[in-house]
Amino acid sequence: MPVVENGESRELSSLLVENFLTREELLDRVRKVALKEGFATTIKKSKQGCYVIIGCDRGGKYRGTSVPLNKRKKISGSRLINCPFELWGKKKGSERWKVEIKNASHNHEPSKDMFGHPYCRRFSNEEVLSIKRMTTAGIPPRQILTSLRQSNPNCKAIARTVYNAKANITKVVLVGRTMIQALFDELGQGDFTFDIKRDGNGRLTHLFFAHPSSIALTKSYPYVFVMDCTYKTNKYKMSLLDIVGVSSFNGSFYSCFAFMQKEEEGDYVWALERFSKILGHDQQPSVILSDRELALMNAIKVVFPGTANILCVWHIEKNVLSKCKSQFEKGEDWETFLLAWTNLIESPDESSFDEAWRLLEVEYKEKEYVLNYIKNNWLPFKERFVHAWTGKHLHFGNRVTSRAEGAHGMLKKYLTVSTGNFNEVREKICLAIENQYNEIKAKIASEKLRVTHKFRIPILKELVSHVSNFALGELFKQHELATSSILGPCRGHFSKTMGLPCAHMMTNKKGESLLLSDIHPQWRIDIRSFTNVDGGVNGNGSEIECLLKNFQDKYKCMPLVEKEDSLKQIAQLIDAPIPLTLEPSIQPTKDDHRVLRKEKEIALPPVILQLSRLRKRPENVVFATKLDIIVGLAHIRMKTLAGVLILSWLINMST
């Protein structure tokens, strides 16, 4: 390429007479001069405290790799064209830096738009700090870029520049650690309760963790939980079991999380056993809501045998819709059936349920498929979703898993992408939990001070500022019902399911105020204080501190030899190597399996497919071993014409 004789410009020549106190000052001045002239500079070589060689960012040659261009997966290019431009910066004496121009020429025209030069898209140190803060706050890269451009209109960065900056920040944070090591360090330093499971190769297969704030909420509200798996949360394509609790305000909170490679009964048992340790060995939830996930249902029965497992009514209705609607030609008939189905699942007692089912069988006896579907798939679980049975359990009005679906949606808003590693996912989950926790604390403090005017009635006067507004609202509805003329017979469902006095109990009070002892602890806000967050299963290490104190007391009374043995045992525990844990392998999805299967089918030529079919014929059992050898050879020889001819001849001989 011909050299473009730019010559030394006035700005460039002025560098020769300038003195610079530091190397960085010299570099900054040279870069600014080059940018004015439409060029960008880079450091070609340097020696700390002695010299620095500066060249054009298009100088040098592309080195290439051993992989031929036509076989590379990534389409790459290079801006290097061996530009001869070169400046030297040398330290003169003990304090001054001077510039020497070795070659002022370029072999290319100056750029009219500097956006194409990577250096011009670099962030300043202040901008990098801003990116770090905004990343920690969970702000997506494009919004980070928008914020930076608002602060600096001359910012030439693009989205890829932000991604690169984030990658560099992550690299600095890791400080030579692997992602898994950093994850364990962060979980330990953050007082998380966590546990892991590895496979035979040391790869992580299960990860359970609970934030200290979540643990505090879980222990404060240990009665009702919703469990459901969500997907597309991490780059390993592992399922995320999200356990969601219910607060005094009928709101949701994240209790704990478990990443699992599979969703089998053993995987759920492993996760629920860790969850049970957070609750306490003697504590079992009154109700756990889930979908009809048989593996999860069985695991709940194993780990929490005394807990009622209620199935989501909404999901059941959706399943009935997808399976049965096609059996009804008219929309009116379907609506009538849905009404009958609703009456069935809302039956107030067992006799009403039996009668509703009998009527359904009589009315739709011609719809054999519909009746068989309900009878085989849902009636065996009627105790888990029909009101006649669920009305006996303390579920606080929760009969659907919608709060888990909402929790999934909120979590994914924080995650923003589905390709993060576990440490990145943990950071985003922490943001969600901390915001949620602070909102609950603020709401408790607010409701202790602020009283809704309509609740200032005699029957509730002992409860205001002590019971949540949601519970007061439910009690107010019951009070209105008690004073109306439509009050029916008491079935006890409201009190059993909500833990609150019903309208009939209020009537029996005969004008007396309700007492705090009439209210279930779930709805109390006066007994909750989260000023000191419980840091985990062992309460911020209180258990180990107690053991150490007991050991110290005992150690003082030990003979010398026993002291030495004890110290050796402790040293062995401390110095024991930690098993190496590797990142999980990326799990293939169903779509991946379909694509792989399709590729295999396409890759096999007809001759091999014919051999495979021939292998399965009963009359060819004698030739089975020979055919296996033939099929094996086929994969090696199928690309050669001779191989195909030989295989064709063998097939003809075999048939």
Side-chain angles (χ1 to χ4, degrees):
M1 184 176 288
V3 175
V4 179
E5 296 292 343
N6 304 85
E8 293 183 15
S9 65
R10 183 177 299 176
E11 286 279 350
L12 195 61
S13 299
S14 67
L15 295 174
L16 297 173
V17 297
E18 293 186 34
N19 294 319
F20 304 97
L21 295 177
T22 63
R23 172 178 174 271
E24 286 67 32
E25 185 182 343
L26 182 148
L27 289 171
D28 185 58
R29 180 79 174 98
V30 169
R31 284 166 181 161
K32 287 179 178 178
V33 170
L35 287 175
K36 283 184 180 180
E37 298 184 356
F39 304 104
T41 58
T42 58
I43 298 174
K44 295 172 68 176
K45 189 178 179 181
S46 69
K47 185 176 181 180
Q48 189 69 32
C50 294
Y51 66 88
V52 58
I53 301 175
I54 304 167
C56 176
D57 71 340
R58 304 196 69 184
K61 294 181 179 179
Y62 176 63
R63 296 177 184 177
T65 63
S66 58
V67 182
L69 288 173
N70 59 346
K71 292 186 178 180
R72 294 183 189 177
K73 293 182 179 180
K74 184 179 179 181
I75 300 174
S76 60
S78 175
R79 67 178 181 277
L80 303 182
I81 55 174
N82 204 22
C83 179
F85 178 83
E86 189 174 293
L87 300 181
W88 282 49
K90 291 185 177 181
K91 190 172 184 180
K92 303 290 185 180
S94 59
E95 295 182 356
R96 296 181 303 126
W97 283 79
K98 296 286 289 183
V99 171
E100 294 180 8
I101 300 175
K102 296 295 183 180
N103 192 331
S105 300
H106 295 269
N107 62 358
H108 56 92
E109 295 293 336
S111 299
K112 295 180 180 179
D113 191 345
M114 300 303 292
F115 270 92
H117 295 269
Y119 171 77
C120 300
R121 300 196 296 265
R122 285 186 182 179
F123 294 116
S124 65
N125 293 334
E126 292 77 13
E127 288 173 330
V128 171
L129 290 174
S130 297
I131 292 171
K132 189 175 182 179
R133 285 194 296 269
M134 287 188 276
T135 300
T136 305
I139 299 174
R142 294 195 178 275
Q143 293 183 18
I144 291 175
L145 184 58
T146 301
S147 176
L148 293 173
R149 283 177 176 165
Q150 288 174 345
S151 303
N152 178 16
N154 296 322
C155 178
K156 294 181 173 61
I158 58 176
R160 172 48 54 190
T161 319
V162 179
Y163 285 112
N164 291 342
K166 289 181 64 177
N168 289 332
I169 291 169
T170 302
K171 191 175 180 180
V172 171
V173 170
L174 288 176
V175 196
R177 300 173 297 174
T178 65
M179 186 281 296
I180 294 294
Q181 288 173 334
L183 172 67
F184 292 167
D185 289 345
E186 294 294 333
L187 290 173
Q189 293 168 9
D191 285 334
F192 283 76
T193 294
F194 72 99
D195 200 3
I196 63 168
K197 192 175 179 181
R198 309 176 188 86
D199 62 13
N201 298 320
R203 290 196 176 276
L204 191 70
T205 59
H206 297 70
L207 171 64
F208 174 92
F209 66 94
H211 192 282
S213 299
S214 294
I215 294 171
L217 292 171
T218 299
K219 290 184 174 181
S220 186
Y221 303 108
Y223 309 107
V224 175
F225 294 93
V226 183
M227 298 183 181
D228 190 30
C229 277
T230 185
Y231 310 93
K232 296 183 179 180
T233 60
N234 59 92
K235 73 176 186 179
Y236 313 106
K237 300 178 183 178
M238 291 173 69
S239 306
L240 175 61
L241 176 62
D242 188 1
I243 301 179
V244 180
V246 183
S247 69
S248 299
F249 321 103
N250 198 38
S252 304
F253 65 87
Y254 296 109
S255 175
C256 55
F257 300 89
F259 288 100
M260 307 181 300
Q261 279 194 347
K262 297 180 181 178
E263 295 177 52
E264 297 175 355
E265 183 178 335
D267 303 294
Y268 284 118
V269 168
W270 181 87
L272 295 187
E273 284 176 347
R274 274 75 192 157
F275 174 56
S276 69
K277 291 179 180 179
I278 291 176
L279 290 171
H281 296 293
D282 299 328
Q283 181 71 50
Q284 291 200 10
S286 60
V287 166
I288 293 177
L289 283 96
S290 69
D291 299 337
R292 200 197 68 164
E293 177 67 37
L294 296 179
L296 177 57
M297 292 164 63
N298 292 337
I300 292 170
K301 190 175 181 180
V302 170
V303 181
F304 300 112
T307 298
N309 178 205
I310 294 179
L311 301 183
C312 175
V313 176
W314 185 83
H315 279 97
I316 293 174
E317 186 173 320
K318 287 297 177 184
N319 280 303
V320 172
L321 172 68
S322 64
K323 295 292 184 181
C324 301
K325 189 175 182 180
S326 60
Q327 303 296 315
F328 295 86
E329 296 179 358
K330 296 181 180 180
E332 295 176 357
D333 295 340
W334 170 248
E335 294 295 333
T336 305
F337 170 78
L338 268 187
L339 183 61
W341 168 254
T342 303
N343 290 335
L344 178 73
I345 62 177
E346 295 298 332
S347 302
D349 51 53
E350 295 180 29
S351 59
S352 300
F353 172 81
D354 293 336
E355 179 63 20
W357 174 245
R358 187 187 65 79
L359 291 174
L360 197 70
E361 284 186 305
V362 172
E363 183 70 22
Y364 297 99
K365 59 184 178 181
E366 296 179 357
K367 305 289 185 183
E368 187 177 350
Y369 173 82
V370 173
L371 294 176
N372 286 336
Y373 171 74
I374 294 173
K375 189 183 297 182
N376 296 330
N377 290 276
W378 297 112
L379 288 194
F381 305 105
K382 62 181 183 293
E383 292 86 357
R384 298 174 186 255
F385 68 91
V386 176
H387 184 55
W389 286 274
T390 60
K392 301 174 183 178
H393 302 296
L394 188 69
H395 55 64
F396 303 132
N398 292 277
R399 293 180 62 198
V400 295
T401 57
S402 56
R403 66 175 66 245
E405 304 292 343
H408 298 338
M410 180 60 68
L411 183 62
K412 289 182 179 180
K413 286 181 181 178
Y414 278 90
L415 293 178
T416 65
V417 296
S418 61
T419 55
N421 60 45
F422 281 153
N423 210 18
E424 292 168 342
V425 173
R426 179 202 60 81
E427 288 177 358
K428 302 297 178 62
I429 287 176
C430 284
L431 292 176
I433 290 172
E434 287 164 4
N435 289 338
Q436 191 180 69
Y437 177 74
N438 288 327
E439 286 180 7
I440 291 174
K441 281 178 60 179
K443 198 159 188 176
I444 288 175
S446 175
E447 291 195 2
K448 285 180 180 179
L449 300 175
R450 185 175 180 273
V451 180
T452 304
H453 293 303
K454 70 176 183 178
F455 298 151
R456 297 179 186 272
I457 55 178
I459 198 168
L460 301 179
K461 69 177 182 179
E462 299 293 331
L463 306 182
V464 292
S465 300
H466 299 281
V467 176
S468 70
N469 281 347
F470 174 81
L472 290 174
E474 294 297 312
L475 290 170
F476 186 80
K477 292 176 186 176
Q478 293 297 311
H479 171 66
E480 289 184 324
L481 190 61
T483 55
S484 69
S485 58
I486 58 172
L487 186 62
C490 182
R491 298 182 182 275
H493 284 169
F494 181 82
S495 297
K496 289 178 182 177
T497 59
M498 296 297 293
L500 295 170
C502 66
H504 299 86
M505 295 174 67
M506 291 183 181
T507 303
N508 295 335
K509 284 279 186 180
K510 297 179 180 179
E512 295 181 7
S513 299
L514 294 173
L515 303 177
L516 287 173
S517 57
D518 298 326
I519 309 300
H520 191 278
Q522 167 76 13
W523 308 116
R524 298 278 296 274
I525 59 175
D526 57 340
I527 59 175
R528 287 182 170 80
S529 176
F530 301 114
T531 52
N532 295 316
V533 176
D534 188 350
V537 173
N538 297 327
N540 280 326
S542 59
E543 186 174 328
I544 193 167
E545 288 174 3
C546 183
L547 287 172
L548 288 173
K549 187 178 183 304
N550 292 337
F551 174 75
Q552 285 177 342
D553 294 338
K554 190 175 181 180
Y555 181 79
K556 293 175 183 178
C557 304
M558 287 181 181
L560 181 60
V561 176
E562 289 185 13
K563 284 184 177 180
E564 291 177 351
D565 291 340
S566 299
L567 291 176
K568 285 180 182 178
Q569 291 178 22
I570 293 173
Q572 287 176 355
L573 287 172
I574 294 172
D575 297 335
I578 299 173
L580 178 65
T581 304
L582 303 175
E583 284 193 66
S585 54
I586 297 177
Q587 300 301 301
T589 61
K590 292 180 180 178
D591 291 335
D592 294 336
H593 284 302
R594 289 195 197 101
V595 171
L596 187 61
R597 196 180 304 118
K598 190 173 181 181
E599 286 177 353
K600 285 182 178 179
E601 290 174 359
I602 293 171
L604 291 174
V607 66
I608 298 178
L609 293 175
Q610 191 174 351
L611 276 172
S612 300
R613 288 193 291 268
L614 185 64
R615 168 69 175 81
K616 295 175 183 177
R617 291 183 187 175
E619 62 269 22
N620 288 328
V621 174
V622 178
F623 302 102
T625 305
K626 294 181 180 179
L627 288 170
D628 286 338
I629 296 171
I630 292 169
V631 172
L633 290 171
H635 288 278
I636 301 171
R637 297 179 176 272
M638 65 183 179
K639 292 184 179 179
T640 65
L641 178 60
V644 173
L645 292 173
I646 291 169
L647 291 170
S648 300
W649 177 77
L650 286 169
I651 290 170
N652 292 329
M653 290 293 292
S654 300
T655 54

